[in-house]
Amino acid sequence: MIKVLVYVLLILIGLCLSPLIIGQSGYVYIAVGEYQIETSLVAAVVGLIVFYFALQLLEWAIMLLLNLVLNSRYLPTKWRQKAAKKHTLAGALAIAEENWPAAETAMAKGAQQGEIPLLNLFAAARAAHHQGKTTARDHYLTQAEKSPVAKTAVNTSRARYFIKQGELSQARAIVDKLEPTSKSSEPVLKLAIDLYQQQQDWQALKLLLPIIVKRKLLSDEELQTLSIKTNTILLAEAAKISEAELEKCWQWLSKNDRKQDTLLVAYAHGLNGFNRHAQALKLLSKQLKTAPSTTLFSALPQLISADDTDIRNLLARLESTHENDADYQICLAKLALQQRDAKQAKVHWQNVCRIAPSRQSWLSLAQIQEQLGENTAAAQNYRKAANTM
């Protein structure tokens, strides 16, 4: 609306000034070589305006002609690109619905003229894998591998698919080629963590643990669980090889790791296997004094004998603080049976049944009572065990 008002205002101004301009027409003389042009100033200005509009019209006509020529030449390509977008969208929807045959077909078609063919190829490979079509899956990945930027992604995908198929050796060959280091991407490192665990290659996983900590690939709880599991197995394997290997593995652990009850118990088992029972008792006693735990209470009956009075006395002194600890009472019950003290074992199993009654605790109490000739009480506890889920 404002533009129209401006145009109207300009026209009105022109109408008002035109008599004055015509009255003072002026004179224009142009000479170019042998050609001469004589005209008034008004005619020259009008001529220039007409010439300008003629040039604009000519430019518009040329651009229109060029667009028609180019569009007619590249129109099939545009049609194919438009069709590729439709196929990609259909494939994405099929993946969301887990319609894998339709997803594979649509994504494969979309890859031919798609804007991001790699995306289509990886999606088609995934759909083929879910159908068990390994040949087609590998074909799509091979096509994607032609792009230099997709090499790592292709290898990672292949390794994942091999792991899901249970072909761990082929997956390991790819992971070794990727060479997981602190500079590797997060997917590569997580792939290596998963594969090493499935292959039970704890030594390789041990070397990867510092990188996992530095890159914060796992939560604190997951990292601690993985670290303890790895080091525990390595200690057990080292104990099967030699005493020197066991010591080497133990010394590799950090100061904090050596305070972990699970690792300490594993090391103590190894020491007992090499007739170093005194050193094992020393470590266990020290840990028992500073931080008695369920892990220690569960392991002690297998690590100490009836003659180890010092550590037994140490356990007895914990009675005041762990009277209502079921794991502690179970430990004392088992240690009492080592000394063939059935009466004392019965007392501890009764405490366990009072603190945390379970099928196993009632059965253990009933068996002790049966040994002591308390058949009526034993029968009652057998019934309690049967009724306890």
Side-chain angles (χ1 to χ4, degrees):
M1 189 67 182
I2 296 176
K3 288 184 178 180
V4 175
L5 292 175
V6 172
Y7 292 149
V8 171
L9 182 62
L10 291 175
I11 291 171
L12 292 175
I13 293 173
L15 291 173
C16 293
L17 296 177
S18 59
L20 297 175
I21 296 174
I22 292 173
Q24 303 293 331
S25 60
Y27 177 77
V28 176
Y29 175 77
I30 301 173
V32 179
E34 298 180 356
Y35 297 97
Q36 297 177 358
I37 298 175
E38 296 181 11
T39 183
S40 66
L41 179 62
V42 174
V45 171
V46 172
L48 288 173
I49 294 173
V50 172
F51 179 71
Y52 172 76
F53 280 109
L55 286 178
Q56 290 292 319
L57 182 62
L58 179 63
E59 180 186 2
W60 176 81
I62 292 173
M63 293 302 297
L64 178 62
L65 181 62
L66 289 174
N67 286 330
L68 288 174
V69 173
L70 293 175
N71 285 336
S72 62
R73 181 177 179 182
Y74 294 105
L75 192 58
T77 302
K78 289 187 176 181
W79 285 344
R80 287 192 291 269
Q81 290 175 346
K82 187 176 181 180
K85 288 182 179 180
K86 291 183 178 179
H87 289 309
T88 301
L89 177 59
L93 294 175
I95 289 176
E97 297 172 354
E98 296 189 358
N99 185 354
W100 303 118
E104 180 192 356
T105 303
M107 284 299 185
K109 290 181 179 178
Q112 296 173 5
Q113 291 291 331
E115 295 180 357
I116 311 177
L118 284 175
L119 176 64
N120 294 76
L121 290 171
F122 280 117
R126 180 188 176 195
H129 175 77
H130 279 282
Q131 299 174 75
K133 298 166 65 175
T134 57
T135 303
R137 177 200 69 196
D138 294 339
H139 171 68
Y140 296 133
L141 292 177
T142 301
Q143 286 185 307
E145 197 174 16
K146 294 177 182 178
S147 175
V149 298
K151 187 174 182 180
T152 301
V154 169
N155 285 330
T156 304
S157 298
R158 278 180 178 153
R160 284 287 181 198
Y161 292 141
F162 282 138
I163 290 174
K164 291 177 181 178
Q165 292 176 218
E167 299 177 4
L168 301 182
S169 58
Q170 295 187 49
R172 181 60 180 268
I174 295 175
V175 171
D176 290 343
K177 188 189 300 182
L178 292 173
E179 297 180 351
T181 63
S182 58
K183 297 181 180 179
S184 299
S185 63
E186 183 174 325
V188 171
L189 292 173
K190 287 188 174 181
L191 174 65
I193 294 170
D194 186 19
L195 178 61
Y196 293 162
Q197 288 186 84
Q198 292 199 40
Q199 284 192 312
Q200 298 185 358
D201 190 347
W202 307 108
Q203 190 60 51
L205 192 57
K206 171 72 174 178
L207 297 176
L208 208 60
L209 282 176
I211 300 175
I212 299 172
V213 174
K214 183 178 179 180
R215 298 283 294 275
K216 298 181 180 179
L217 299 179
L218 301 175
S219 65
D220 293 340
E221 184 178 352
E222 290 174 333
L223 179 60
Q224 184 176 11
T225 301
L226 180 60
S227 177
I228 290 175
K229 181 180 180 181
T230 301
N231 289 320
T232 300
I233 294 175
L234 287 176
L235 283 169
E237 291 178 350
K240 295 177 182 178
I241 298 174
S242 66
E243 184 177 355
E245 192 67 24
L246 175 64
E247 283 300 321
K248 181 180 177 181
C249 187
W250 178 253
Q251 294 303 323
W252 274 354
L253 299 179
S254 65
K255 187 175 181 180
N256 289 332
D257 287 338
R258 292 178 200 167
K259 294 179 181 180
Q260 295 290 337
D261 293 335
T262 305
L263 301 181
L264 184 63
V265 167
Y267 181 53
H269 278 293
L271 292 175
N272 281 346
F274 293 109
N275 297 320
R276 294 170 61 184
H277 187 61
Q279 185 177 351
L281 286 178
K282 182 179 179 180
L283 291 172
L284 292 171
S285 299
K286 182 180 179 180
Q287 189 72 359
L288 200 59
K289 290 177 181 177
T290 56
S293 65
T294 299
T295 302
L296 284 177
F297 293 146
S298 300
L300 282 175
Q302 290 81 41
L303 290 170
I304 65 178
S305 64
D307 298 328
D308 297 323
T309 56
D310 290 340
I311 196 168
R312 287 174 177 272
N313 293 333
L314 180 59
L315 277 169
R317 288 198 292 269
L318 296 175
E319 180 76 28
S320 60
T321 56
H322 291 75
E323 181 181 1
N324 294 318
D325 188 331
D327 295 308
Y328 172 74
Q329 296 292 341
I330 292 173
C331 176
L332 294 183
K334 292 179 178 179
L335 292 177
L337 286 177
Q338 280 186 355
Q339 296 179 320
R340 299 182 181 181
D341 190 348
K343 290 183 179 180
Q344 190 61 38
K346 184 187 77 170
V347 172
H348 293 303
W349 279 119
Q350 285 175 332
N351 289 333
V352 174
C353 292
R354 173 181 56 83
I355 299 166
S358 64
R359 183 175 179 275
Q360 185 58 48
S361 62
W362 287 118
L363 281 175
S364 299
L365 177 58
Q367 290 169 358
I368 294 295
Q369 289 173 329
E370 197 172 29
Q371 290 179 20
L372 295 172
E374 300 174 2
N375 297 327
T376 302
Q380 292 176 351
N381 290 328
Y382 275 127
R383 282 193 293 271
K384 290 180 181 179
N387 295 328
T388 303
M389 297 299 294

